[in-house]
Amino acid sequence: MTAPTTYWLEHAWLGTHVEPGVTLAVAADGRITGLLTGADTPPPGAEVLRGLTVPGLANAHSHAFHRALRSTVQVGSGTFWTWRDFMYKVAQNLTPDSYHALARATYAEMALAGITHVGEFHYVHHAPGGTPYADPNAMGEALIAAADAAGIRITLLDTAYLAAGFGQAPNAHQARFSDGTADAWAERVSALKGGGHARVGAAIHSVRAVPADQLATVARWAEERQAPLHVHLSEQTAENDACRAAHDRTPTQLLADHGVLGPRTTGVHNTHLTDADIALLGSTTTGTCMCPTTERDLADGIGPATRLQRAGSPLSLGSDSHAVIDLLEEARAMELNERLRSRTRGHWTANALLTAATADGHASLGLHDAGRLEVGALADFTTIALDSVRTAGALPRLGAETAVFAATASDVRHTVVAGRHIVRDGAHTLVPDVPSALSESIAALRA
């Protein structure tokens, strides 16, 4: 709980347009209780936020420990599969304490980038070799605690990861990811507690990592709790080929056959889809989380986001491997990737791209009362400078276009979560030195 606060927003994006001079009243429970437009000057005692204030950004797909890979995996060439080998080596060095330190620093970096809610796709569950910790959820609880320490919300998407591939047992690196069976996964994850800043959802790592006859167990667990369910889907053509060889159908069709698709489900990447796949995802209103900076970093390809959205699949955005942490860049990249592929401009408006980064991203993580500046919504918002070298000179009424097509995470001036200032004037209020926290936690994994 925080003290009731009044914020005066120099400019505010209200979902369809930018409004100058907006006053927000925030109650002690961290919700917006009043919104007044036409406030030319700040009322007495108000917190003044100069720039463009937008709802807090939702990072719908994160692997926090991948932050330790940045730059190191940029040396040389290779494929997704060679990148994965290096990722396994970092995963092997994680402990609950070292993961907490790295995730706290990574989530603090997210707060500095205007992110107020992260969807953590979590699969490093056990000790190396696969032996459970004394607390079987020690790693997941470390992530929940790290988000709290960094001042942001988390939906922990606890991930079933049971196989190395179709009909293959987990390899030595993957042993610590696996609970053995989906029933054992469900028993473990049922002991995780949410509340406050944290929610618990479910994930299927991929169709290659969960045997087909166990997919329904994970889907049923999520259905019983009305929890979000995410899945890596058709990220690689090799996965599609292997799935056809094993099951004579695409990964999307396999998920549909086992009851995985639906409005609480989000497919992550959805890159290499058939026309029938797109129709299935759209007709079931299964969401799509695009992660353009990772997809281009790994040379995965450009997903059919425009066709998916037209078919009925809501779009969200994630930073995935954290090649960069910048949701504005993810939004921009989704549009610019489509321009390169189609050689036409303007597939999404700036308003639509911001909606994917805010309201629809939160909804994909099971949070439907965030991502909007309106009475009753959670008081989670971020302010982007309109006077930096990247953003200066544009008309304030074009603030949405400025934010999406010119601004970067470096232009985030303030981040507020539940009415509490987490980032003030570009400085994190809970983690005093985020660069040092990142450097130290990453160095510890190399020791």
Side-chain angles (χ1 to χ4, degrees):
M1 301 288 281
T2 59
T5 308
T6 298
Y7 285 93
W8 181 77
L9 318 180
E10 184 181 27
H11 303 282
W13 178 69
L14 299 183
T16 57
H17 67 287
V18 173
E19 187 77 27
V22 173
T23 299
L24 288 184
V26 178
D29 66 355
R31 290 186 179 272
I32 299 170
T33 56
L35 187 152
L36 177 67
T37 60
D40 295 335
T41 58
E47 291 258 18
V48 174
L49 303 184
R50 296 202 178 274
L52 174 70
T53 297
V54 303
L57 306 177
N59 188 353
H61 189 66
S62 162
H63 302 291
F65 77 92
H66 289 192
R67 177 60 181 83
L69 305 176
R70 188 183 296 178
S71 298
T72 305
V73 291
Q74 310 306 329
V75 177
S77 61
T79 66
F80 167 86
W81 308 102
T82 55
W83 170 91
R84 188 178 70 162
D85 289 339
F86 189 85
M87 178 270 289
Y88 284 156
K89 294 175 183 177
V90 173
Q92 286 299 99
N93 291 333
L94 293 170
T95 66
D97 288 343
S98 67
Y99 206 4
H100 176 273
L102 176 59
R104 170 181 171 269
T106 302
Y107 297 154
E109 182 182 356
M110 290 185 194
L112 289 170
I115 293 163
T116 59
H117 186 189
V118 61
E120 183 60 39
F121 200 102
H122 165 56
Y123 54 82
V124 187
H125 301 306
H126 307 301
T131 302
Y133 290 102
D135 174 358
N137 285 306
M139 295 293 268
E141 287 166 357
L143 291 165
I144 289 172
D148 189 39
I152 69 172
R153 302 183 193 276
I154 185 171
T155 294
L156 187 76
L157 298 162
D158 194 288
T159 304
Y161 193 137
L162 309 174
F166 298 99
Q168 301 175 36
N171 64 33
H173 294 299
Q174 297 161 341
R176 69 181 310 190
F177 307 162
S178 178
D179 292 292
T181 66
D183 286 333
W185 167 86
E187 181 179 359
R188 178 185 55 74
V189 73
S190 294
L192 270 168
K193 305 300 180 187
H197 76 293
R199 285 157 186 76
V200 178
I204 292 164
H205 180 273
S206 55
V207 292
R208 70 178 186 273
V210 176
D213 61 359
Q214 299 186 59
L215 292 169
T217 300
V218 184
R220 185 167 54 250
W221 185 95
E223 174 66 26
E224 289 171 352
R225 291 157 180 80
Q226 294 294 287
L229 173 61
H230 287 213
V231 53
H232 290 133
L233 180 57
S234 289
E235 182 178 4
Q236 296 290 323
T237 55
E239 176 182 291
N240 290 354
D241 294 344
C243 187
R244 286 192 179 95
H247 296 289
D248 196 29
R249 64 204 66 199
T250 68
T252 300
Q253 292 167 330
L254 186 66
L255 293 174
D257 290 347
H258 292 275
V260 175
L261 304 184
R264 286 180 298 95
T265 299
T266 296
V268 181
H269 304 301
N270 293 2
T271 306
H272 303 285
L273 302 176
T274 66
D275 292 346
D277 291 340
I278 292 170
L280 261 176
L281 293 168
S283 65
T284 56
T285 62
T286 299
T288 294
C289 179
M290 302 298 292
C291 305
T293 66
T294 291
E295 290 149 6
R296 71 192 184 196
D297 181 55
L298 297 179
D300 285 342
I302 301 171
T306 52
R307 295 178 61 202
L308 282 161
Q309 189 170 51
R310 283 197 300 268
S313 178
L315 299 179
S316 56
L317 297 165
S319 64
D320 192 0
S321 70
H322 312 314
V324 296
I325 293 177
D326 188 339
L327 262 287
L328 300 175
E329 172 63 19
E330 303 294 345
R332 174 163 55 246
M334 188 164 69
E335 166 66 24
L336 298 186
N337 283 354
E338 195 62 34
R339 292 182 185 186
L340 285 173
R341 177 165 58 184
S342 66
R343 291 183 290 176
T344 59
R345 303 175 75 222
H347 301 275
W348 293 276
T349 65
N351 288 333
L353 293 167
L354 279 179
T355 297
T358 57
D360 288 351
H362 290 288
S364 78
L365 298 175
L367 197 59
H368 298 276
D369 52 356
R372 298 176 180 84
L373 297 180
E374 62 184 35
V375 172
L378 293 168
D380 298 357
F381 40 88
T382 188
T383 303
I384 299 162
L386 294 179
D387 57 359
S388 77
V389 293
R390 288 165 293 277
T391 61
L395 295 171
R397 65 180 175 81
L398 299 177
E401 287 75 11
T402 301
V404 171
F405 291 106
T408 72
S410 298
D411 296 310
V412 169
R413 184 172 282 163
H414 305 286
T415 301
V416 173
V417 180
R420 180 175 65 152
H421 245 111
I422 301 302
V423 173
R424 186 188 294 274
D425 295 320
H428 203 290
T429 62
L430 303 178
V431 184
D433 188 347
V434 178
S436 290
L438 285 164
S439 295
E440 292 166 8
S441 60
I442 292 169
L445 295 178
R446 300 191 186 116

